Amino acid sequence: MLLVFLILLVGSVISQCIATKDQTTCSHPAKGNPKFPSNFTFGVATAAYQIEGAWNIDGKGPSIWDDFTHNYPHMIDDRTTGDIAADSYHRFNQDLKALKELKVTHYRFSISWSRIYPTGDISSRNQKGIDYYNGVIDKLLANGIQPMVTMFHFDLPFELQKIGGLANPLIINYFVTYATELFENYGDRVKSWVTLNEPLLYCKSGYGEANYPPQIEGAGIIDYLCMDHSLKAHAAVYRVYKSRFYNRQHGKVGIALDSQFSLSNDSAVVNRAMQYNLGFFAHPLFSKSGGYPKILVEEIAENSLKEGRIESRLPDLSGKWKHIIKGAADFVGINYYTSRYVVRAKTPNGKNPSLERDYDLDEISDPKWTRGLSRWLYCVPEGMESILKFIRDEYDNVEVIITENGYSDKGDLNDLDRIHYLKSHLQAVLNAINDGCNVRGYIYWSLIDNFEWQRGYSVKFGLYSVNMSSPAKERTPKKSAEYYRRIIETHSIPDDI
Ligand SMILES: *[C@@H]1O[C@H](CO)[C@@H](O)[C@H](O)[C@H]1NC(C)=O
Ligand SMILES: *[C@@H]1O[C@H](CO)[C@@H](O)[C@H](O)[C@H]1NC(C)=O
Ligand SMILES: *[C@@H]1O[C@H](CO)[C@@H](O)[C@H](O)[C@H]1NC(C)=O
């Protein structure tokens, strides 16, 4: 009852998209030029732990995800691991075939830190691991596909967790050393780098709520430390690239930020919600003033004092780091999947303290939104358009690449819901471009079905299905693969499916 009331309350901002959509079609009104710019790039993404397998092959050290799946199997829905996964370590040629069929311009994949440095540290440097990615990069380029390399996608070397992982500021130096190794080995050919993937998510889940490795319960304190160190590690790597590598390598370095869009008819509430999501990382990097968003600095300090602390739980970012971080990215990568309506919390949320408690907003979904198999994944394409406009207005129209966007289901090859999701979200991106947003590329998550973290293999995001029970792990295109290929070929969004 309350839900229905709230939906009516905020009904005035529900866009035409929702008002007119049927069960599965989140159709989106088209505006302006029906074609993507000729230099717009299209890609697909994967991550090392989710596809590679070969968890202990050729010298690779364990990561915190190896430890998590091996030692806490009940934390994974189907009690599976990434030990073999899609076996891409041995079967990259099958992935390459799929990439060529799709005709993507870019392939975003991640490097497993503990293949390069099995203990996380340079003293354990592993040439076989380095060679593996040389092979991947060379094969991509030989086929006209640009590599976009993510340096860290959740799989921290297990040994580095012994010093506290991302809760220890020493991680900044370890990450710089590792990133430097990557620039030295691959920077002659890799021109697009993503330092960190979804720091907000891995800090909140791994160092706050303890449902991701390393399972630290530090809500409102250690998750903020993790974010602060992540931000500094990213910026330090960016500065090293600019000073030591850019002049001969001429690449771009960015970061992939996860954020929903928050819908409300009260713009102050939208802004508050966005600062607590995207703003955590985007404000220090891309705003004119730099540092954490003012509202976070003030509110978290105030909450901390009320709790009887003598300083804010949010680390201070006003010194030299503020300047190192400000402007330290050539583009912002956005991992956009979904949105929520937000209203001021009726009663305090979450534990005291916690990010949720500081955030102080209730999130509401619209019963009319189509949902993927992932419980959190409602199809809200207008949120894509809105987040891009938010970035345009808030961060001086910084260059944007959609580094992830995708839809989950049970894995049917005739995946019409995925096609509708893809279609409506790309229409939203096109609308944003036609409205002056500086979006340069779109990357679908994911190329192939893979190990979906705590959901194991029960939830599928791929354009290609993988036969997990077959030793050959055959990749089979779904209907959405064909649809995406047509988008890429025509640089426009076909009406017929
Ligand atoms: C793409 O082309 C547009 C207009 O021709 C130009 O402004 C933009 O800088 C180009 N983008 C890239 C990434 O080259
Ligand atoms: C939001 O909508 C409600 C209900 O229509 C209205 O009472 C309220 O004043 C609106 N708020 C703003 C900021 O427009
Ligand atoms: C998957 O592979 C197994 C073993 O090779 C085979 O029996 C099965 O038919 C395959 N499934 C599909 C959907 O192709």
Side-chain angles (χ1 to χ4, degrees):
M1 194 57 204
L2 178 65
L3 186 72
V4 171
F5 173 72
L6 286 167
I7 299 292
L8 290 175
L9 195 74
V10 294
S12 62
V13 293
I14 297 179
S15 81
Q16 196 184 339
C17 167
I18 295 169
T20 61
K21 85 181 173 61
D22 62 31
Q23 178 43 31
T24 54
T25 318
C26 324
S27 63
H28 209 94
K31 295 181 268 194
N33 191 340
K35 275 189 173 272
F36 289 91
S38 60
N39 57 5
F40 191 81
T41 62
F42 290 98
V44 284
T46 59
Y49 186 72
Q50 293 176 277
I51 65 162
E52 283 181 357
W55 78 278
N56 59 356
I57 301 292
D58 288 345
K60 179 183 168 292
S63 76
I64 56 171
W65 270 91
D66 292 312
D67 175 63
F68 187 59
T69 57
H70 293 167
N71 296 319
Y72 308 91
H74 61 281
M75 296 296 284
I76 312 296
D77 287 354
D78 55 6
R79 301 178 79 92
T80 55
T81 72
D83 287 3
I84 300 173
D87 199 25
S88 288
Y89 187 76
H90 299 111
R91 301 182 179 282
F92 175 69
N93 286 344
Q94 288 169 232
D95 295 339
L96 182 64
K97 180 167 173 281
L99 292 165
K100 284 161 69 176
E101 283 168 5
L102 288 169
K103 298 191 156 60
V104 289
T105 60
H106 284 68
Y107 178 42
R108 176 178 174 231
F109 63 95
S110 84
I111 290 183
S112 157
W113 185 340
S114 62
R115 273 193 208 290
I116 307 296
Y117 292 166
T119 67
D121 174 70
I122 192 169
S123 64
S124 64
R125 189 179 184 279
N126 177 30
Q127 190 60 45
K128 281 191 176 158
I130 293 172
D131 291 346
Y132 170 69
Y133 296 106
N134 269 323
V136 168
I137 291 163
D138 286 342
K139 285 180 188 172
L140 288 172
L141 290 172
N143 287 281
I145 300 165
Q146 296 298 316
M148 180 187 228
V149 172
T150 308
M151 300 174 169
F152 176 64
H153 198 127
F154 302 173
D155 48 353
L156 192 77
F158 181 69
E159 288 296 309
L160 290 182
Q161 201 58 55
K162 293 182 181 166
I163 60 158
L166 285 138
N168 187 335
L170 280 174
I171 200 71
I172 300 165
N173 297 347
Y174 281 104
F175 189 60
V176 166
T177 305
Y178 162 62
T180 302
E181 185 80 63
L182 302 187
F183 293 142
E184 278 169 353
N185 285 282
Y186 309 128
D188 56 335
R189 289 154 291 152
V190 173
K191 302 302 162 193
S192 186
W193 297 96
V194 172
T195 54
L196 305 172
N197 182 71
E198 300 191 349
L200 185 62
L201 176 78
Y202 68 64
C203 289
K204 231 176 112 171
S205 308
Y207 294 83
E209 296 160 356
N211 48 28
Y212 261 36
Q215 300 186 81
I216 288 167
E217 280 185 50
I221 300 172
I222 308 181
D223 44 7
Y224 290 162
L225 271 184
C226 169
M227 292 182 205
D228 195 65
H229 300 152
S230 295
L231 197 51
K232 288 170 177 168
H234 158 82
V237 164
Y238 181 82
R239 297 300 171 199
V240 165
Y241 188 75
K242 281 298 190 192
S243 64
R244 290 189 47 201
F245 296 95
Y246 179 76
N247 283 342
R248 59 200 150 95
Q249 299 186 348
H250 303 290
K252 288 187 178 181
V253 178
I255 184 168
L257 303 179
D258 52 307
S259 182
Q260 65 177 35
F261 190 75
S262 301
L263 302 157
S264 164
N265 70 344
D266 182 337
S267 63
V269 172
V270 171
N271 183 58
R272 172 195 174 76
M274 291 309 293
Q275 297 303 345
Y276 269 94
N277 275 288
L278 185 63
F280 239 118
F281 288 86
H283 194 278
L285 287 164
F286 304 110
S287 71
K288 281 205 176 69
S289 52
Y292 287 120
K294 193 162 172 277
I295 191 164
L296 272 68
V297 173
E298 289 175 359
E299 291 186 351
I300 297 172
E302 193 184 316
N303 293 346
S304 302
L305 293 183
K306 278 193 208 145
E307 292 151 17
R309 296 169 202 278
I310 53 169
E311 59 182 345
S312 180
R313 287 179 277 103
L314 185 70
D316 178 37
L317 204 56
S318 56
K320 80 171 170 124
W321 273 108
K322 178 172 156 178
H323 299 285
I324 295 171
I325 293 166
K326 195 160 104 64
D330 299 310
F331 64 89
V332 60
I334 295 294
N335 293 4
Y336 173 84
Y337 287 90
T338 196
S339 291
R340 291 291 185 276
Y341 286 103
V342 288
V343 290
R344 284 312 287 254
K346 303 285 169 297
T347 53
N349 283 325
K351 288 183 184 158
N352 188 24
S354 65
L355 199 161
E356 264 179 293
R357 184 66 65 96
D358 291 331
Y359 183 48
D360 197 31
L361 294 169
D362 289 337
E363 299 194 334
I364 305 154
S365 58
D366 184 328
K368 291 205 285 304
W369 291 341
T370 313
R371 188 160 72 169
L373 190 58
S374 309
R375 284 172 43 196
W376 50 270
L377 210 180
Y378 292 92
C379 175
V380 194
E382 67 273 30
M384 170 74 96
E385 191 171 333
S386 299
I387 198 171
L388 292 172
K389 288 178 182 170
F390 181 87
I391 293 167
R392 176 194 65 192
D393 300 340
E394 188 82 6
Y395 307 123
D396 199 22
N397 214 10
V398 59
E399 183 174 329
V400 178
I401 295 172
I402 307 298
T403 34
E404 284 182 28
N405 176 238
Y407 187 80
S408 62
D409 61 15
K410 288 185 180 147
D412 199 331
L413 293 182
N414 190 22
D415 55 343
L416 293 178
D417 287 355
R418 176 168 294 104
I419 292 178
H420 286 302
Y421 185 95
L422 192 56
K423 182 179 186 191
S424 56
H425 283 78
L426 272 162
Q427 185 62 57
V429 172
L430 190 51
N431 290 347
I433 293 172
N434 287 329
D435 258 329
C437 295
N438 191 9
V439 192
R440 303 296 183 88
Y442 173 91
I443 296 174
Y444 179 80
W445 179 273
S446 175
L447 171 62
I448 52 176
D449 290 342
N450 56 50
F451 179 81
E452 178 52 25
W453 310 113
Q454 286 193 299
R455 304 288 83 76
Y457 298 100
S458 65
V459 164
K460 326 263 192 190
F461 279 89
L463 297 175
Y464 281 71
S465 171
V466 177
N467 187 339
M468 289 292 174
S469 57
S470 159
K473 304 269 184 276
E474 293 88 356
R475 278 76 162 139
T476 308
K478 302 178 188 175
K479 202 169 165 64
S480 56
E482 167 64 13
Y483 187 75
Y484 191 37
R485 186 188 59 78
R486 285 163 65 206
I487 291 177
I488 296 171
E489 267 183 350
T490 61
H491 267 60
S492 61
I493 301 166
D495 274 330
D496 61 308
I497 284 166

